[in-house]
Amino acid sequence: MGTLPGFVEGFSNVARDEHRHIAFGVRFLTDCVEEDERYRGVIQGMLEQSAPVADKVIDPPWAEEEDYELFGVSREETHAFAAQSLTRRLKVIGLLPASA
């Protein structure tokens, strides 16, 4: 839209960099599970411990109500997107069946 082109370029660069970090982590965990099946349980245990905390990180600290909207996206939609992204990566790692 031509608004704040420097911000858009910077944000795009950060998003691209974060994508590379996530891709590296997924590849590393995939290799670990393929190398030794015991890593599957370790990864799953860590996910169970960290999921509740990670879920809270998505919500902005100033959001007092449960059903807020940010940039035209509801809390429910934001959490659904995060869950879908995690599920997709867990399938790649081999922690979920491809049909899940």
Side-chain angles (χ1 to χ4, degrees), residues 16-51:
R16 190 171 27 259
D17 188 52
E18 288 305 311
H19 176 75
R20 282 192 286 262
H21 293 176
I22 291 169
F24 173 81
V26 168
R27 182 70 222 179
F28 175 78
L29 294 175
T30 301
D31 290 347
C32 287
V33 170
E34 288 175 357
E35 177 184 315
D36 189 333
E37 226 7 75
R38 291 178 295 176
Y39 287 119
R40 179 183 305 277
V42 172
I43 296 166
Q44 287 172 328
M46 187 53 59
L47 281 169
E48 289 171 10
Q49 282 183 332
S50 61

